[in-house]
Coordinates of all heavy atoms in Angstrom, one line a residue:
M1 N 20.5 13.0 2.2 CA 19.7 13.4 1.0 C 18.8 12.2 0.6 O 19.2 11.1 0.6 CB 20.5 13.9 -0.1 CG 19.9 14.9 -1.0 SD 21.0 15.5 -2.3 CE 21.0 14.2 -3.5
A2 N 17.6 12.6 0.3 CA 16.6 11.5 -0.1 C 17.0 11.0 -1.4 O 17.3 11.7 -2.4 CB 15.2 12.1 -0.2
K3 N 16.9 9.6 -1.5 CA 17.2 9.0 -2.8 C 16.1 8.0 -3.0 O 15.5 7.5 -2.1 CB 18.5 8.2 -2.7 CG 19.7 9.1 -2.9 CD 20.9 8.2 -3.3 CE 21.3 7.2 -2.3 NZ 22.6 6.7 -2.4
I4 N 15.8 7.8 -4.3 CA 14.8 6.9 -4.7 C 15.3 5.4 -4.8 O 16.3 5.2 -5.3 CB 14.2 7.3 -6.1 CG1 13.5 8.6 -6.0 CG2 13.3 6.2 -6.6 CD1 13.1 9.2 -7.3
V5 N 14.6 4.5 -4.1 CA 15.0 3.1 -4.1 C 14.2 2.4 -5.1 O 14.7 1.6 -5.9 CB 14.7 2.5 -2.7 CG1 15.0 1.0 -2.7 CG2 15.5 3.2 -1.6
D6 N 12.9 2.7 -5.2 CA 12.0 2.1 -6.2 C 11.0 3.1 -6.7 O 10.2 3.6 -5.9 CB 11.4 0.9 -5.5 CG 10.5 0.1 -6.5 OD1 10.2 0.5 -7.7 OD2 10.1 -1.1 -6.2
D7 N 11.1 3.4 -8.0 CA 10.2 4.5 -8.5 C 9.0 3.9 -9.1 O 8.2 4.6 -9.8 CB 11.0 5.4 -9.4 CG 11.3 4.7 -10.8 OD1 11.1 3.5 -10.9 OD2 11.8 5.4 -11.7
H8 N 8.8 2.6 -8.9 CA 7.5 2.0 -9.5 C 7.0 1.0 -8.5 O 6.9 -0.2 -8.7 CB 7.8 1.4 -10.8 CG 6.5 1.2 -11.6 ND1 5.8 2.2 -12.2 CD2 5.8 0.1 -11.9 CE1 4.8 1.7 -12.9 NE2 4.7 0.4 -12.7
F9 N 6.6 1.5 -7.3 CA 6.1 0.6 -6.2 C 4.6 0.7 -6.3 O 4.0 1.7 -5.8 CB 6.7 1.2 -4.9 CG 6.7 0.2 -3.8 CD1 7.7 -0.7 -3.5 CD2 5.5 0.1 -3.0 CE1 7.7 -1.5 -2.4 CE2 5.5 -0.8 -1.9 CZ 6.6 -1.6 -1.6
M10 N 4.0 -0.4 -6.8 CA 2.6 -0.3 -7.0 C 1.8 -1.0 -5.9 O 2.1 -2.2 -5.6 CB 2.2 -1.0 -8.3 CG 2.9 -0.4 -9.6 SD 2.5 1.4 -9.8 CE 0.8 1.3 -10.4
V11 N 1.0 -0.3 -5.2 CA 0.3 -0.8 -4.1 C -1.2 -0.9 -4.3 O -1.8 -0.1 -5.1 CB 0.6 0.0 -2.8 CG1 2.1 0.1 -2.5 CG2 -0.1 1.4 -2.8
C12 N -1.9 -1.7 -3.5 CA -3.4 -1.8 -3.6 C -4.0 -0.7 -2.9 O -3.4 0.1 -2.2 CB -3.8 -3.2 -3.1 SG -3.6 -3.3 -1.3
A13 N -5.3 -0.5 -3.1 CA -6.1 0.6 -2.5 C -6.0 0.5 -0.9 O -5.9 1.6 -0.3 CB -7.5 0.5 -3.0
D14 N -5.9 -0.6 -0.4 CA -5.9 -0.8 1.1 C -4.5 -0.2 1.6 O -4.5 0.6 2.6 CB -6.0 -2.2 1.5 CG -7.4 -2.8 1.3 OD1 -8.3 -2.0 1.0 OD2 -7.6 -4.0 1.5
C15 N -3.5 -0.6 0.9 CA -2.2 -0.1 1.4 C -2.1 1.5 1.2 O -1.6 2.2 2.0 CB -1.0 -0.7 0.6 SG -0.7 -2.4 1.1
L16 N -2.6 1.9 0.0 CA -2.6 3.3 -0.3 C -3.2 4.2 0.8 O -2.7 5.2 1.3 CB -3.2 3.6 -1.6 CG -3.2 5.1 -2.0 CD1 -1.8 5.5 -2.5 CD2 -4.3 5.5 -3.0
M17 N -4.4 3.6 1.3 CA -5.1 4.3 2.3 C -4.3 4.7 3.6 O -4.3 5.7 4.2 CB -6.3 3.4 2.7 CG -7.5 4.0 3.3 SD -8.9 2.9 3.1 CE -8.3 1.4 3.7
I18 N -3.5 3.6 3.9 CA -2.7 3.8 5.1 C -1.4 4.6 4.8 O -1.0 5.5 5.6 CB -2.3 2.4 5.7 CG1 -3.6 1.7 6.2 CG2 -1.3 2.5 6.9 CD1 -3.4 0.3 6.7
I19 N -0.8 4.4 3.6 CA 0.4 5.1 3.3 C 0.1 6.6 3.2 O 0.8 7.5 3.7 CB 1.0 4.6 2.0 CG1 1.5 3.2 2.2 CG2 2.1 5.5 1.5 CD1 1.8 2.4 0.9
A20 N -1.1 6.9 2.5 CA -1.4 8.3 2.2 C -2.0 9.0 3.5 O -1.7 10.1 3.8 CB -2.4 8.4 1.1
N21 N -2.9 8.3 4.2 CA -3.6 9.0 5.3 C -3.5 8.3 6.6 O -4.2 8.8 7.6 CB -5.1 9.0 4.9 CG -5.4 9.7 3.5 OD1 -4.8 10.7 3.3 ND2 -6.2 9.1 2.7
D22 N -2.7 7.3 6.7 CA -2.6 6.5 8.0 C -4.0 6.2 8.5 O -4.3 6.4 9.6 CB -1.8 7.3 9.0 CG -1.4 6.4 10.1 OD1 -1.2 5.2 9.9 OD2 -1.2 6.9 11.3
D23 N -4.8 5.7 7.6 CA -6.2 5.5 7.9 C -6.7 4.2 7.3 O -6.6 4.0 6.1 CB -7.1 6.7 7.3 CG -8.5 6.6 7.5 OD1 -8.9 5.8 8.4 OD2 -9.3 7.2 6.8
A24 N -7.2 3.4 8.2 CA -7.7 2.1 7.8 C -9.1 1.9 8.0 O -9.7 0.9 7.9 CB -6.9 0.9 8.5
T25 N -9.8 3.0 8.3 CA -11.3 2.9 8.6 C -12.1 2.5 7.4 O -13.2 1.9 7.6 CB -11.8 4.2 9.1 OG1 -11.5 5.3 8.2 CG2 -11.2 4.6 10.5
G26 N -11.6 2.7 6.2 CA -12.3 2.3 5.0 C -12.5 0.8 4.9 O -13.4 0.3 4.3
L27 N -11.6 0.0 5.6 CA -11.7 -1.5 5.6 C -13.1 -1.9 6.1 O -13.5 -3.0 5.8 CB -10.6 -2.1 6.4 CG -9.2 -1.9 5.9 CD1 -8.1 -2.4 6.9 CD2 -9.0 -2.5 4.5
D28 N -13.6 -1.2 7.0 CA -14.9 -1.6 7.7 C -16.0 -1.6 6.7 O -17.0 -2.3 7.0 CB -15.3 -0.6 8.8 CG -14.2 -0.6 9.9 OD1 -13.4 -1.6 10.0 OD2 -14.2 0.3 10.8
H29 N -15.8 -1.0 5.6 CA -16.9 -1.0 4.6 C -17.1 -2.3 3.9 O -18.1 -2.7 3.4 CB -16.7 0.1 3.6 CG -16.7 1.5 4.1 ND1 -17.8 2.0 4.8 CD2 -15.8 2.5 4.1 CE1 -17.5 3.2 5.2 NE2 -16.3 3.5 4.8
F30 N -16.0 -3.1 3.9 CA -16.0 -4.3 3.1 C -15.9 -5.5 4.1 O -16.3 -6.6 3.7 CB -14.7 -4.4 2.2 CG -14.6 -3.2 1.3 CD1 -13.7 -2.3 1.6 CD2 -15.5 -3.1 0.2 CE1 -13.6 -1.1 0.7 CE2 -15.4 -2.0 -0.6 CZ -14.4 -1.0 -0.3
L31 N -15.4 -5.4 5.3 CA -15.2 -6.5 6.1 C -15.9 -6.3 7.5 O -16.2 -5.2 7.9 CB -13.7 -6.6 6.4 CG -12.8 -6.8 5.2 CD1 -11.3 -6.5 5.5 CD2 -12.9 -8.1 4.5
D32 N -16.1 -7.4 8.2 CA -16.7 -7.2 9.5 C -15.5 -6.8 10.4 O -14.3 -6.7 10.0 CB -17.3 -8.6 10.0 CG -16.3 -9.7 10.1 OD1 -15.2 -9.5 10.7 OD2 -16.5 -10.7 9.5
E33 N -15.8 -6.4 11.6 CA -14.8 -5.7 12.5 C -13.6 -6.5 12.7 O -12.5 -6.0 12.7 CB -15.6 -5.4 13.8 CG -15.1 -4.1 14.5 CD -15.9 -3.8 15.7 OE1 -17.1 -3.5 15.5 OE2 -15.4 -3.9 16.8
E34 N -13.8 -7.8 12.9 CA -12.7 -8.7 13.2 C -11.7 -8.9 12.0 O -10.5 -8.8 12.2 CB -13.2 -10.1 13.7 CG -12.2 -10.9 14.5 CD -12.9 -12.1 15.1 OE1 -14.0 -12.0 15.7 OE2 -12.4 -13.2 14.9
S35 N -12.3 -9.1 10.9 CA -11.5 -9.2 9.6 C -10.8 -7.9 9.3 O -9.7 -7.9 8.8 CB -12.4 -9.6 8.5 OG -13.3 -10.7 8.8
A36 N -11.5 -6.8 9.5 CA -10.9 -5.5 9.2 C -9.7 -5.3 10.1 O -8.6 -4.8 9.7 CB -11.9 -4.4 9.4
A37 N -9.8 -5.7 11.4 CA -8.7 -5.5 12.3 C -7.5 -6.4 11.9 O -6.4 -6.0 11.9 CB -9.2 -5.8 13.8
A38 N -7.8 -7.6 11.5 CA -6.8 -8.5 11.1 C -6.1 -8.0 9.8 O -4.9 -8.1 9.7 CB -7.4 -9.9 10.8
R39 N -6.9 -7.5 8.9 CA -6.4 -7.0 7.6 C -5.5 -5.8 7.9 O -4.4 -5.6 7.3 CB -7.6 -6.7 6.7 CG -7.1 -6.0 5.4 CD -6.6 -7.0 4.4 NE -6.3 -6.4 3.1 CZ -5.2 -6.5 2.4 NH1 -4.2 -7.2 2.8 NH2 -5.1 -5.8 1.2
E40 N -5.9 -4.9 8.8 CA -5.2 -3.7 9.1 C -3.8 -4.1 9.7 O -2.8 -3.5 9.4 CB -5.9 -2.8 10.1 CG -5.1 -1.6 10.4 CD -5.9 -0.6 11.4 OE1 -7.0 -0.8 11.7 OE2 -5.2 0.4 11.7
R41 N -3.8 -5.1 10.6 CA -2.5 -5.6 11.2 C -1.6 -6.0 10.1 O -0.4 -5.7 10.1 CB -2.8 -6.7 12.2 CG -3.1 -6.2 13.6 CD -2.9 -7.3 14.6 NE -3.7 -8.5 14.3 CZ -5.0 -8.6 14.7 NH1 -5.6 -7.6 15.3 NH2 -5.7 -9.7 14.4
E42 N -2.1 -6.8 9.1 CA -1.4 -7.4 8.0 C -0.8 -6.2 7.2 O 0.4 -6.2 6.8 CB -2.3 -8.3 7.2 CG -1.6 -9.0 6.0 CD -2.7 -9.6 5.1 OE1 -3.7 -10.0 5.6 OE2 -2.4 -9.6 3.9
L43 N -1.7 -5.2 6.9 CA -1.2 -4.1 6.1 C -0.1 -3.3 6.8 O 0.9 -3.0 6.2 CB -2.4 -3.2 5.8 CG -3.5 -3.7 4.9 CD1 -4.8 -2.9 4.9 CD2 -3.0 -3.8 3.4
R44 N -0.3 -3.0 8.1 CA 0.7 -2.2 8.8 C 2.0 -3.0 8.9 O 3.1 -2.4 8.8 CB 0.1 -1.8 10.1 CG -1.0 -0.8 10.0 CD -1.3 -0.2 11.4 NE -2.4 0.8 11.3 CZ -2.3 2.0 10.8 NH1 -1.1 2.5 10.5 NH2 -3.4 2.8 10.8
H45 N 1.9 -4.3 9.0 CA 3.1 -5.1 9.1 C 3.9 -5.0 7.7 O 5.1 -4.9 7.7 CB 2.7 -6.5 9.4 CG 3.9 -7.5 9.5 ND1 4.7 -7.5 10.6 CD2 4.4 -8.4 8.6 CE1 5.7 -8.4 10.3 NE2 5.5 -8.9 9.1
S46 N 3.1 -5.1 6.6 CA 3.7 -5.1 5.3 C 4.3 -3.8 5.0 O 5.4 -3.7 4.4 CB 2.6 -5.4 4.2 OG 2.0 -6.6 4.4
I47 N 3.6 -2.7 5.4 CA 4.2 -1.4 5.2 C 5.5 -1.2 6.0 O 6.4 -0.6 5.5 CB 3.1 -0.3 5.5 CG1 2.0 -0.4 4.4 CG2 3.7 1.1 5.5 CD1 0.7 0.3 4.8
A48 N 5.4 -1.6 7.2 CA 6.6 -1.5 8.1 C 7.8 -2.3 7.5 O 8.9 -1.8 7.5 CB 6.3 -2.0 9.5
A49 N 7.5 -3.4 6.9 CA 8.5 -4.2 6.3 C 9.1 -3.5 5.1 O 10.3 -3.6 4.9 CB 8.0 -5.6 5.9
A50 N 8.2 -2.9 4.3 CA 8.7 -2.2 3.1 C 9.6 -0.9 3.5 O 10.5 -0.5 2.8 CB 7.5 -1.7 2.3
Q51 N 9.3 -0.4 4.7 CA 10.0 0.8 5.2 C 11.1 0.5 6.1 O 11.6 1.5 6.8 CB 8.9 1.7 5.8 CG 7.8 2.2 4.9 CD 7.0 3.3 5.4 OE1 6.7 4.3 4.7 NE2 6.5 3.2 6.6
R52 N 11.5 -0.7 6.1 CA 12.7 -1.1 7.0 C 13.9 -0.4 6.5 O 14.0 0.1 5.4 CB 12.8 -2.6 7.1 CG 13.3 -3.2 5.9 CD 13.3 -4.7 5.9 NE 13.8 -5.3 4.6 CZ 13.0 -5.4 3.5 NH1 11.8 -4.9 3.5 NH2 13.6 -5.8 2.4
D53 N 14.9 -0.4 7.3 CA 16.3 0.2 6.9 C 16.2 1.7 6.6 O 17.0 2.2 5.8 CB 16.9 -0.6 5.8 CG 17.1 -2.0 6.1 OD1 17.2 -2.4 7.3 OD2 17.1 -2.9 5.2
G54 N 15.2 2.4 7.2 CA 15.2 3.8 7.0 C 14.5 4.2 5.7 O 14.4 5.4 5.4
N55 N 13.9 3.2 4.9 CA 13.3 3.6 3.7 C 11.8 4.1 4.1 O 11.3 3.7 5.2 CB 13.1 2.3 2.8 CG 14.4 1.8 2.2 OD1 15.4 2.5 2.3 ND2 14.4 0.7 1.7
Y56 N 11.3 4.9 3.2 CA 9.9 5.3 3.5 C 9.1 5.4 2.2 O 9.7 5.7 1.1 CB 9.8 6.5 4.3 CG 10.5 7.8 3.6 CD1 9.8 8.7 3.0 CD2 11.9 7.9 3.7 CE1 10.4 9.8 2.4 CE2 12.5 9.0 3.1 CZ 11.8 9.9 2.4 OH 12.4 11.0 1.9
L57 N 7.8 5.2 2.3 CA 7.0 5.2 1.0 C 6.3 6.5 0.9 O 5.8 7.1 1.9 CB 5.9 4.1 1.2 CG 6.4 2.7 0.8 CD1 5.4 1.7 1.3 CD2 6.7 2.5 -0.7
V58 N 6.3 7.1 -0.3 CA 5.4 8.3 -0.5 C 4.5 8.0 -1.7 O 4.8 7.2 -2.6 CB 6.3 9.5 -0.8 CG1 7.1 9.9 0.4 CG2 7.3 9.3 -2.0
V59 N 3.4 8.7 -1.6 CA 2.4 8.5 -2.7 C 3.0 9.1 -4.0 O 3.6 10.2 -3.9 CB 1.1 9.2 -2.4 CG1 0.1 9.1 -3.5 CG2 0.5 8.5 -1.1
G60 N 3.0 8.4 -5.1 CA 3.6 8.8 -6.3 C 2.7 9.6 -7.2 O 1.9 10.4 -6.8
D61 N 2.8 9.3 -8.5 CA 2.1 10.0 -9.5 C 0.7 9.3 -9.9 O 0.8 8.1 -10.4 CB 3.0 10.0 -10.8 CG 2.3 10.6 -12.0 OD1 1.2 11.1 -11.9 OD2 2.9 10.5 -13.1
S62 N -0.4 9.9 -9.6 CA -1.7 9.2 -9.8 C -1.9 8.9 -11.3 O -2.7 8.1 -11.6 CB -2.8 10.0 -9.2 OG -2.9 11.3 -9.8
G63 N -1.1 9.7 -12.2 CA -1.2 9.4 -13.6 C -0.7 8.0 -14.0 O -1.0 7.5 -15.0
Q64 N 0.1 7.4 -13.0 CA 0.6 6.1 -13.3 C -0.1 5.0 -12.6 O 0.2 3.8 -12.6 CB 2.1 6.0 -12.9 CG 3.0 6.9 -13.7 CD 4.5 6.7 -13.4 OE1 4.9 5.5 -13.5 NE2 5.2 7.7 -13.1
D65 N -1.2 5.4 -11.9 CA -2.1 4.4 -11.3 C -2.7 3.5 -12.3 O -2.9 3.9 -13.5 CB -3.2 5.1 -10.5 CG -2.8 5.8 -9.3 OD1 -1.6 5.7 -9.0 OD2 -3.6 6.3 -8.6
E66 N -3.0 2.2 -11.9 CA -3.7 1.3 -12.8 C -5.1 1.1 -12.2 O -5.2 0.8 -11.0 CB -3.0 0.0 -12.9 CG -1.6 0.1 -13.7 CD -0.8 -1.2 -13.6 OE1 -1.4 -2.3 -13.6 OE2 0.4 -1.0 -13.5
E67 N -6.1 1.4 -13.0 CA -7.4 1.2 -12.5 C -7.8 -0.2 -12.2 O -8.6 -0.4 -11.3 CB -8.4 1.8 -13.5 CG -9.0 3.1 -13.1 CD -9.8 3.8 -14.2 OE1 -10.8 3.3 -14.6 OE2 -9.3 4.8 -14.7
F68 N -7.3 -1.1 -13.0 CA -7.6 -2.5 -12.8 C -6.4 -3.3 -13.1 O -5.9 -3.3 -14.2 CB -8.8 -2.9 -13.7 CG -9.3 -4.3 -13.3 CD1 -10.2 -4.5 -12.3 CD2 -8.8 -5.4 -14.1 CE1 -10.5 -5.9 -12.0 CE2 -9.2 -6.7 -13.8 CZ -10.1 -6.9 -12.7
S69 N -6.0 -4.1 -12.1 CA -4.8 -4.9 -12.3 C -4.9 -6.2 -11.5 O -5.6 -6.2 -10.5 CB -3.6 -4.2 -11.8 OG -2.5 -5.0 -11.8
T70 N -4.3 -7.2 -12.0 CA -4.3 -8.5 -11.3 C -2.9 -8.8 -10.8 O -2.7 -9.8 -10.2 CB -4.8 -9.6 -12.2 OG1 -4.1 -9.7 -13.4 CG2 -6.3 -9.5 -12.5
S71 N -2.0 -7.9 -11.0 CA -0.6 -8.1 -10.5 C -0.6 -7.8 -9.0 O -1.4 -7.0 -8.5 CB 0.4 -7.2 -11.2 OG 0.0 -6.0 -11.5
S72 N 0.3 -8.5 -8.3 CA 0.2 -8.5 -6.8 C 0.6 -7.1 -6.3 O 1.5 -6.4 -7.0 CB 1.0 -9.6 -6.2 OG 2.3 -9.5 -6.6
C73 N 0.1 -6.7 -5.2 CA 0.5 -5.5 -4.6 C 2.0 -5.6 -4.1 O 2.4 -6.6 -3.5 CB -0.4 -5.3 -3.4 SG 0.1 -3.9 -2.2
D74 N 2.8 -4.6 -4.4 CA 4.2 -4.6 -4.0 C 4.4 -4.5 -2.5 O 5.5 -4.7 -2.0 CB 5.0 -3.5 -4.7 CG 5.1 -3.7 -6.2 OD1 5.1 -4.9 -6.6 OD2 5.4 -2.7 -7.0
C75 N 3.3 -4.1 -1.8 CA 3.5 -4.0 -0.4 C 3.0 -5.2 0.4 O 3.7 -6.0 1.0 CB 2.7 -2.7 0.0 SG 3.1 -2.2 1.7
C76 N 1.6 -5.5 0.3 CA 1.1 -6.6 1.1 C 1.0 -7.8 0.3 O 0.6 -8.9 0.8 CB -0.3 -6.2 1.6 SG -1.6 -6.1 0.3
N77 N 1.3 -7.8 -1.0 CA 1.3 -9.0 -1.9 C -0.1 -9.6 -2.2 O -0.2 -10.6 -2.7 CB 2.2 -10.1 -1.3 CG 3.7 -9.7 -1.4 OD1 4.1 -9.2 -2.4 ND2 4.4 -9.9 -0.3
T78 N -1.1 -8.8 -1.9 CA -2.4 -9.3 -2.3 C -2.5 -9.4 -3.8 O -1.9 -8.6 -4.5 CB -3.5 -8.4 -1.8 OG1 -4.8 -9.1 -2.1 CG2 -3.5 -7.1 -2.4
S79 N -3.1 -10.5 -4.3 CA -3.3 -10.6 -5.8 C -4.8 -10.4 -6.1 O -5.2 -10.7 -7.2 CB -2.8 -11.9 -6.3 OG -3.3 -12.9 -5.5
L80 N -5.5 -9.9 -5.2 CA -7.0 -9.6 -5.4 C -7.0 -8.5 -6.6 O -6.3 -7.5 -6.5 CB -7.6 -8.9 -4.2 CG -8.1 -9.9 -3.2 CD1 -8.8 -9.1 -2.0 CD2 -9.1 -10.9 -3.8
A81 N -7.8 -8.8 -7.6 CA -7.8 -7.8 -8.7 C -8.4 -6.5 -8.1 O -9.3 -6.5 -7.3 CB -8.7 -8.4 -9.8
G82 N -7.9 -5.4 -8.7 CA -8.4 -4.1 -8.2 C -7.4 -3.1 -8.7 O -6.5 -3.3 -9.5
S83 N -7.6 -1.9 -8.2 CA -6.7 -0.8 -8.5 C -5.3 -0.9 -7.9 O -5.2 -1.5 -6.8 CB -7.3 0.6 -8.2 OG -7.6 0.6 -6.8
R84 N -4.3 -0.4 -8.6 CA -3.0 -0.3 -8.0 C -2.5 1.1 -8.2 O -2.8 1.7 -9.2 CB -2.0 -1.3 -8.8 CG -2.3 -2.7 -8.7 CD -2.1 -3.3 -7.4 NE -2.4 -4.7 -7.3 CZ -3.6 -5.2 -7.0 NH1 -4.5 -4.5 -6.6 NH2 -3.8 -6.6 -7.0
H85 N -1.9 1.5 -7.1 CA -1.5 3.0 -7.1 C -0.1 3.2 -7.0 O 0.7 2.4 -6.3 CB -2.2 3.6 -5.8 CG -3.7 3.5 -5.9 ND1 -4.5 4.4 -6.4 CD2 -4.5 2.4 -5.5 CE1 -5.8 3.9 -6.4 NE2 -5.8 2.7 -5.8
H86 N 0.4 4.1 -7.7 CA 1.8 4.4 -7.9 C 2.4 5.0 -6.6 O 1.9 6.1 -6.1 CB 2.0 5.3 -9.0 CG 3.5 5.6 -9.3 ND1 4.0 6.9 -9.2 CD2 4.6 4.8 -9.7 CE1 5.3 6.8 -9.5 NE2 5.6 5.6 -9.8
C87 N 3.4 4.4 -6.0 CA 4.1 5.0 -4.9 C 5.6 5.0 -5.2 O 6.1 4.3 -6.2 CB 3.9 4.2 -3.6 SG 2.2 4.5 -3.0
V88 N 6.3 5.7 -4.4 CA 7.8 5.7 -4.6 C 8.4 5.4 -3.3 O 8.0 5.9 -2.2 CB 8.3 7.1 -5.1 CG1 9.8 7.1 -5.2 CG2 7.6 7.4 -6.4
L89 N 9.4 4.5 -3.3 CA 10.1 4.1 -2.1 C 11.4 4.9 -2.0 O 12.2 4.9 -3.0 CB 10.4 2.6 -2.1 CG 11.0 2.0 -0.8 CD1 10.1 2.1 0.4 CD2 11.4 0.6 -1.0
M90 N 11.5 5.7 -1.0 CA 12.6 6.6 -0.8 C 13.5 6.1 0.3 O 13.1 5.3 1.1 CB 12.2 8.0 -0.5 CG 11.1 8.6 -1.3 SD 11.6 9.2 -2.9 CE 12.7 10.5 -2.5
T91 N 14.7 6.6 0.3 CA 15.6 6.3 1.4 C 16.3 7.6 1.9 O 16.3 8.6 1.2 CB 16.6 5.2 1.2 OG1 17.2 4.8 2.4 CG2 17.7 5.7 0.2
Ligands
LIG1 ZN1 -1.4 -3.8 -0.5

């Protein structure tokens, strides 16, 4: 049975894009091709690390999103200011 491991897992917009849609193409809008590829590898690595031991991330309640935050992303640890999106870590 699915159980909640962390019900307040706040991720940055980049992580959300991959968690929600498995899509990193949006990175190209901000970065050149090489940086986007490096960032995508970093993101996928962070997400895989969060989902180790059979855990998995699901997109949470958008009502708990923060439009602007300087706290670090719970997934990739970026501290770049920006939006943080509510996810839930399940097992
Ligand atoms: Zn992130």
Side-chain angles (χ1 to χ4, degrees):
M1 207 173 78
K3 276 198 305 197
I4 292 171
V5 178
D6 185 344
D7 69 352
H8 198 74
F9 196 92
M10 300 302 286
V11 306
C12 67
D14 290 351
C15 286
L16 181 75
M17 201 160 52
I18 295 179
I19 293 164
N21 302 316
D22 195 28
D23 175 18
T25 52
L27 295 172
D28 295 344
H29 297 301
F30 307 105
L31 303 166
D32 61 55
E33 214 172 292
E34 202 172 305
S35 313
R39 176 77 174 132
E40 180 178 355
R41 275 198 301 277
E42 183 191 329
L43 290 167
R44 290 191 182 280
H45 180 79
S46 305
I47 292 166
Q51 298 191 133
R52 69 191 180 279
D53 302 332
N55 293 349
Y56 60 99
L57 282 165
V58 292
V59 177
D61 172 10
S62 59
Q64 295 191 51
D65 287 1
E66 290 171 37
E67 250 168 70
F68 185 83
S69 172
T70 52
S71 39
S72 60
C73 168
D74 287 337
C75 193
C76 70
N77 290 316
T78 184
S79 51
L80 277 180
S83 57
R84 296 290 181 266
H85 302 268
H86 180 246
C87 287
V88 179
L89 186 64
M90 311 283 297
T91 191

